[in-house]
Coordinates of all heavy atoms in Angstrom, one line a residue:
G30 N 111.2 148.4 113.4 CA 110.2 149.0 112.5 C 108.8 148.3 112.5 O 108.7 147.1 112.9
R31 N 107.8 149.0 112.1 CA 106.5 148.4 112.1 C 106.3 147.3 111.1 O 105.7 146.2 111.4 CB 105.5 149.4 111.8 CG 105.1 150.4 112.9 CD 104.1 151.5 112.5 NE 102.9 150.8 112.0 CZ 101.9 151.4 111.4 NH1 102.0 152.7 111.2 NH2 100.9 150.7 111.0
G32 N 107.0 147.4 110.0 CA 106.9 146.3 108.9 C 107.5 145.0 109.4 O 106.9 143.9 109.1
K33 N 108.6 145.0 110.0 CA 109.4 143.9 110.5 C 108.5 143.2 111.6 O 108.4 141.9 111.6 CB 110.8 144.1 111.0 CG 111.7 144.6 109.9 CD 112.2 143.4 109.2 CE 113.3 143.8 108.3 NZ 113.8 142.6 107.5
V34 N 108.0 143.9 112.5 CA 107.2 143.3 113.6 C 106.0 142.6 113.1 O 105.7 141.5 113.4 CB 106.8 144.3 114.7 CG1 105.9 143.8 115.7 CG2 108.1 144.8 115.4
S35 N 105.3 143.3 112.2 CA 104.0 142.6 111.5 C 104.4 141.4 110.8 O 103.6 140.4 110.7 CB 103.2 143.6 110.8 OG 103.9 144.1 109.7
E36 N 105.5 141.5 110.1 CA 106.0 140.4 109.3 C 106.3 139.3 110.1 O 106.0 138.1 109.9 CB 107.2 140.8 108.4 CG 107.7 139.8 107.4 CD 108.9 140.3 106.7 OE1 108.8 141.4 106.2 OE2 109.9 139.5 106.6
L37 N 107.0 139.5 111.2 CA 107.5 138.5 112.2 C 106.2 137.8 112.9 O 106.2 136.6 112.9 CB 108.3 139.1 113.3 CG 108.7 138.1 114.4 CD1 109.7 137.1 113.8 CD2 109.4 138.9 115.5
M38 N 105.2 138.6 113.1 CA 104.0 138.0 113.8 C 103.2 137.1 112.8 O 102.7 136.2 113.1 CB 103.1 139.1 114.2 CG 103.7 139.9 115.4 SD 104.2 138.8 116.8 CE 102.7 138.1 117.3
G39 N 103.2 137.6 111.4 CA 102.7 136.8 110.3 C 103.3 135.5 110.2 O 102.7 134.4 110.0
D40 N 104.7 135.5 110.3 CA 105.4 134.2 110.3 C 105.2 133.2 111.4 O 105.1 132.1 111.1 CB 106.9 134.6 110.2 CG 107.4 135.2 108.8 OD1 106.6 135.1 107.9 OD2 108.5 135.8 108.8
V41 N 105.0 133.9 112.5 CA 104.7 133.1 113.7 C 103.2 132.4 113.5 O 103.1 131.3 113.8 CB 104.7 134.0 115.0 CG1 104.1 133.2 116.2 CG2 106.1 134.3 115.4
A42 N 102.3 133.3 113.0 CA 100.9 132.7 112.8 C 101.0 131.6 111.8 O 100.3 130.5 111.9 CB 100.0 133.8 112.3
K43 N 101.8 131.7 110.7 CA 101.9 130.6 109.7 C 102.4 129.4 110.3 O 102.1 128.3 109.9 CB 102.8 131.2 108.5 CG 102.1 132.1 107.6 CD 103.0 132.5 106.5 CE 102.5 133.6 105.6 NZ 103.4 134.2 104.6
G44 N 103.4 129.6 111.1 CA 104.1 128.4 111.8 C 103.1 127.7 112.7 O 103.1 126.5 112.7
I45 N 102.3 128.5 113.4 CA 101.3 127.8 114.3 C 100.3 127.1 113.4 O 99.9 125.9 113.7 CB 100.7 128.9 115.1 CG1 101.5 129.4 116.2 CG2 99.4 128.3 115.8 CD1 101.1 130.6 117.0
K46 N 99.8 127.6 112.3 CA 98.9 127.0 111.5 C 99.4 125.7 110.8 O 98.7 124.7 110.8 CB 98.4 127.9 110.4 CG 97.5 129.0 110.8 CD 97.0 129.9 109.6 CE 96.2 131.1 110.1 NZ 95.8 132.0 109.0
S47 N 100.7 125.8 110.4 CA 101.4 124.6 109.9 C 101.5 123.5 110.9 O 101.3 122.3 110.6 CB 102.8 125.0 109.4 OG 103.4 123.9 108.8
F48 N 101.8 123.9 112.1 CA 102.0 122.9 113.2 C 100.6 122.2 113.5 O 100.5 121.0 113.6 CB 102.4 123.6 114.5 CG 102.5 122.7 115.7 CD1 103.5 121.8 115.8 CD2 101.5 122.7 116.7 CE1 103.6 121.0 116.9 CE2 101.6 121.9 117.8 CZ 102.7 121.0 117.9
K49 N 99.5 123.0 113.6 CA 98.2 122.5 113.8 C 97.7 121.5 112.6 O 97.2 120.5 112.9 CB 97.1 123.6 113.9 CG 97.2 124.4 115.3 CD 96.1 125.3 115.3 CE 96.2 126.0 116.7 NZ 95.1 127.1 116.8
K50 N 98.1 121.9 111.4 CA 97.8 121.0 110.3 C 98.5 119.7 110.3 O 98.0 118.7 110.1 CB 98.1 121.8 108.9 CG 97.7 121.0 107.7 CD 98.1 121.8 106.4 CE 97.9 121.0 105.3 NZ 98.2 121.7 104.1
G51 N 99.8 119.8 110.7 CA 100.6 118.6 110.9 C 100.1 117.7 112.0 O 100.1 116.5 111.8
M52 N 99.6 118.2 113.1 CA 99.1 117.4 114.1 C 97.8 116.8 113.7 O 97.5 115.7 114.2 CB 98.9 118.3 115.3 CG 100.1 118.8 116.0 SD 101.2 117.5 116.5 CE 100.3 116.8 117.9
A53 N 97.0 117.5 112.9 CA 95.7 117.0 112.4 C 96.0 115.8 111.4 O 95.2 114.8 111.5 CB 94.9 118.1 111.8
E54 N 97.0 115.9 110.7 CA 97.3 114.8 109.8 C 97.7 113.5 110.5 O 97.4 112.4 110.0 CB 98.4 115.2 108.8 CG 97.9 116.3 107.8 CD 99.0 116.8 106.9 OE1 100.2 116.4 107.1 OE2 98.7 117.6 106.1
D55 N 98.4 113.7 111.6 CA 98.8 112.5 112.4 C 97.6 111.7 113.0 O 97.7 110.6 113.4 CB 99.8 113.0 113.4 CG 101.1 113.4 112.9 OD1 101.4 113.1 111.7 OD2 101.9 114.0 113.7
D56 N 96.5 112.5 113.2 CA 95.3 111.8 113.9 C 94.5 110.9 112.9 O 93.5 110.4 113.4 CB 94.5 112.9 114.4 CG 95.1 113.7 115.6 OD1 96.1 113.1 116.1 OD2 94.7 114.8 116.0
E57 N 94.8 110.8 111.7 CA 94.1 110.0 110.8 C 94.1 108.5 111.3 O 95.2 108.0 111.6 CB 94.7 110.0 109.3 CG 94.4 111.4 108.7 CD 95.1 111.5 107.3 OE1 95.6 110.5 106.9 OE2 95.0 112.6 106.8
P58 N 93.0 107.9 111.3 CA 93.0 106.4 111.8 C 93.7 105.5 110.8 O 93.7 105.8 109.6 CB 91.6 106.1 111.9 CG 90.9 107.1 110.9 CD 91.7 108.3 111.0
T59 N 94.3 104.6 111.3 CA 95.0 103.5 110.4 C 94.0 102.6 110.0 O 93.0 102.3 110.6 CB 96.1 102.8 111.2 OG1 95.5 102.2 112.3 CG2 97.2 103.7 111.6
P60 N 94.0 102.2 108.6 CA 93.0 101.3 108.1 C 93.1 99.9 108.8 O 94.1 99.4 109.1 CB 93.4 101.2 106.7 CG 94.8 101.6 106.5 CD 95.1 102.6 107.7
T61 N 92.0 99.3 109.0 CA 91.9 98.0 109.6 C 91.7 97.0 108.5 O 91.2 97.2 107.5 CB 90.7 97.9 110.7 OG1 89.5 98.2 109.9 CG2 90.9 99.0 111.8
V62 N 92.2 95.8 108.9 CA 92.2 94.7 107.9 C 91.0 93.7 108.4 O 90.9 93.5 109.6 CB 93.4 93.9 107.9 CG1 93.4 92.7 107.0 CG2 94.6 94.9 107.5
D63 N 90.3 93.3 107.4 CA 89.1 92.4 107.8 C 89.7 91.1 108.2 O 90.6 90.5 107.7 CB 88.3 92.2 106.5 CG 87.1 91.4 106.7 OD1 86.7 91.3 107.9 OD2 86.5 90.9 105.7
P64 N 89.2 90.6 109.4 CA 89.7 89.3 110.0 C 89.5 88.2 108.9 O 90.2 87.2 108.9 CB 88.8 89.1 111.1 CG 88.3 90.4 111.5 CD 88.2 91.2 110.3
K65 N 88.6 88.2 108.1 CA 88.4 87.1 107.0 C 89.6 87.1 106.1 O 90.0 86.0 105.7 CB 87.1 87.4 106.2 CG 85.8 87.2 107.1 CD 84.6 87.5 106.2 CE 83.3 87.4 107.1 NZ 82.2 87.9 106.3
V66 N 90.1 88.2 105.8 CA 91.3 88.4 104.9 C 92.5 87.7 105.6 O 93.3 87.0 105.0 CB 91.6 89.8 104.5 CG1 92.9 89.9 103.7 CG2 90.4 90.3 103.7
I67 N 92.6 88.0 106.9 CA 93.8 87.5 107.7 C 93.6 86.0 107.7 O 94.7 85.2 107.5 CB 93.8 88.1 109.0 CG1 94.1 89.6 108.9 CG2 94.8 87.4 109.9 CD1 94.1 90.3 110.3
D68 N 92.5 85.5 108.0 CA 92.3 84.0 108.1 C 92.6 83.4 106.7 O 93.2 82.2 106.6 CB 90.8 83.6 108.5 CG 90.6 84.0 109.9 OD1 91.6 84.2 110.6 OD2 89.4 84.2 110.2
Q69 N 92.1 84.0 105.5 CA 92.4 83.4 104.2 C 93.9 83.4 103.9 O 94.5 82.4 103.4 CB 91.7 84.3 103.2 CG 91.9 83.8 101.7 CD 91.2 82.4 101.6 OE1 90.2 82.1 102.1 NE2 92.0 81.5 100.8
V70 N 94.6 84.4 104.4 CA 96.0 84.5 104.1 C 96.8 83.4 104.9 O 97.7 82.7 104.4 CB 96.7 85.9 104.5 CG1 98.2 85.9 104.5 CG2 96.1 86.9 103.5

């Protein structure tokens, strides 16, 4: 039926958006530590 196909395509689109969002979150840079702090420790 038309409703099921459009609903299925909407779910696929949501999955793709969620995947892209998850990949973007992984790209955040890790914070760096100041070398002066390391020397002090």
Side-chain angles (χ1 to χ4, degrees):
R31 283 182 52 193
K33 289 283 187 180
V34 172
S35 65
E36 184 179 312
L37 178 66
M38 294 309 292
D40 290 343
V41 169
K43 287 180 186 176
I45 292 171
K46 286 180 184 178
S47 175
F48 177 76
K49 285 183 179 180
K50 182 179 177 184
M52 293 300 291
E54 289 174 357
D55 290 343
D56 291 341
E57 293 178 2
T59 56
T61 57
V62 180
D63 188 15
K65 293 178 185 176
V66 173
I67 294 174
D68 291 340
Q69 183 63 41
V70 170

